Amino acid sequence: MSYVIQGGEEGKARLSILGQAMNRYSIGALEKAGLQPGSKCLDAGCGGGTMTYAMAEIAGSGGHVTGIDHDVEIIRLNLQELDTKHAGNVSFRQGEVYDLHEVEEYDMAYARFLLSHLTDPVLAIAKIMHALKPGGYFIAEDVHFSGHFCYPANEAFETYVKWYTEAVGANGGDAEFGVKLYTYLETAGLTDMQMEIVQPAGISGPAKQMSLVTLEKIKNSVLANDITSEEEFTRIVGELRAYTENRESIISMPRIFQVWGRKPF
Ligand SMILES: C[S@@+](CC[C@H](N)C(=O)[O-])C[C@H]1O[C@@H](n2cnc3c(N)ncnc32)[C@H](O)[C@@H]1O
């Protein structure tokens, strides 16, 4: 199955806005989950790598973070950027999460907004668990799309939530995955588990922008899956843009579940 949101350069630009909205919450969870100087980490489905770098900053020169993603173009851009950043404790590799070959190599594995896109999250979780050292930490964050809200009520926003959910489902994923994350990770054998929920929202700024930016980047999937017509898609984008630009409106990101635990010794 293909990935539902446009990748490459435009995808990386979108993920940069996502990082501005989300990274401080993600970093907080990583610290609570045990990320520390010297940690050797995996960022599975790293996208544009904003969290790969954030983790590397905490892991320090004695640690290392490997970002993997199946998007060839985004990894090419990440490697280009890495050349200019001179971050010696970061590396990027193109690859499928299902093809992870590492065995008991990482102190921490992280996957943000990856599992909800996968046709086989159980296999992906098993591969990530395999790559973790005994006692290593696994932390995942994922979306519960029906937990979105806006105020005042808006048809274009509700349509976006519906279309995104349908498009992800048509591509074999599950936009409601976040609420199931704890159960999946517990079933995979994690211990000492914890869960938190975050939900960025705003009257301005990156959290408010994310719905419009994401809608624009799922156009191909929405049309390819006959979810709506091009004309209707354009109309809804225009309405959501006007609603987003209105300083009186409040728009949230999805409800986001953060779950972590340890691989047994
Ligand atoms: C919503 S983005 C999140 C990116 C990044 N984790 C972040 O939060 O900024 C999901 C990423 O997972 C990648 N992805 C989707 N399916 C994948 C797979 N089967 N193996 C590896 N990466 C995958 C996509 O290319 C995309 O970059």
Side-chain angles (χ1 to χ4, degrees):
M1 289 278 177
S2 59
Y3 177 52
V4 71
I5 310 173
Q6 188 178 346
E9 192 160 358
E10 290 199 34
K12 189 170 162 83
R14 171 185 168 272
L15 291 171
S16 164
I17 301 172
L18 173 71
Q20 292 164 40
M22 241 338 264
N23 284 5
R24 61 198 158 116
Y25 302 105
S26 300
I27 291 164
L30 282 162
E31 286 177 332
K32 282 183 233 170
L35 179 60
Q36 55 190 353
S39 294
K40 190 172 179 194
C41 308
L42 171 71
D43 184 3
C46 63
T50 67
M51 282 304 296
T52 318
Y53 287 110
M55 291 170 83
E57 215 163 284
I58 298 169
S61 56
H64 188 89
V65 188
T66 302
I68 70 135
D69 200 286
H70 74 171
D71 182 332
V72 175
E73 181 58 11
I74 219 163
I75 291 295
R76 190 187 68 74
L77 293 166
N78 289 355
L79 290 171
Q80 222 172 48
E81 193 175 69
L82 183 59
D83 271 349
T84 64
K85 285 197 185 249
H86 306 295
N89 62 346
V90 169
S91 55
F92 290 106
R93 181 176 95 219
Q94 190 274 331
E96 275 290 330
V97 66
Y98 302 125
D99 296 336
L100 266 178
H101 52 73
E102 289 94 325
V103 181
E104 298 189 356
E105 202 165 311
Y106 297 107
D107 301 299
M108 174 170 279
Y110 175 61
R112 185 170 77 181
F113 306 150
L114 169 70
L115 299 171
S116 57
H117 289 287
L118 301 179
T119 47
D120 195 348
V122 172
L123 177 60
I125 291 167
K127 290 284 182 172
I128 293 171
M129 289 289 276
H130 207 53
L132 270 181
K133 290 177 187 169
Y137 297 90
F138 186 176
I139 168 161
E141 298 183 277
D142 231 309
V143 299
H144 186 221
F145 235 68
S146 58
H148 262 99
F149 67 86
C150 72
Y151 184 82
N154 180 267
E155 184 220 348
F157 177 79
E158 299 303 334
T159 305
Y160 155 66
V161 172
K162 181 170 165 290
W163 284 352
Y164 180 94
T165 304
E166 285 176 24
V168 168
N171 278 269
D174 179 2
E176 294 289 273
F177 190 80
V179 75
K180 306 168 190 171
L181 186 54
Y182 187 97
T183 306
Y184 271 78
L185 295 188
E186 189 178 44
T187 306
L190 281 186
T191 60
D192 304 327
M193 289 184 63
Q194 294 195 51
M195 185 190 88
E196 292 195 5
I197 291 171
V198 293
Q199 187 159 33
I203 50 162
S204 63
K208 189 179 191 186
Q209 291 293 327
M210 276 311 294
S211 297
L212 176 61
V213 173
T214 304
L215 175 60
E216 288 170 334
K217 301 285 175 287
I218 59 170
K219 180 177 179 180
N220 290 344
S221 303
V222 167
L223 298 186
N225 288 296
D226 289 327
I227 291 169
T228 193
S229 65
E230 180 146 16
E231 193 185 7
E232 179 66 355
F233 187 87
T234 306
R235 183 181 80 79
I236 292 294
V237 168
E239 283 189 14
L240 187 57
R241 177 170 296 111
Y243 182 68
T244 303
E245 285 167 1
N246 179 349
R247 295 281 306 182
E248 306 285 304
S249 66
I250 301 169
I251 303 183
S252 80
M253 285 178 54
R255 181 182 295 132
I256 294 160
F257 284 75
Q258 305 176 308
V259 180
W260 62 90
R262 295 188 90 171
K263 176 174 170 172
F265 285 96

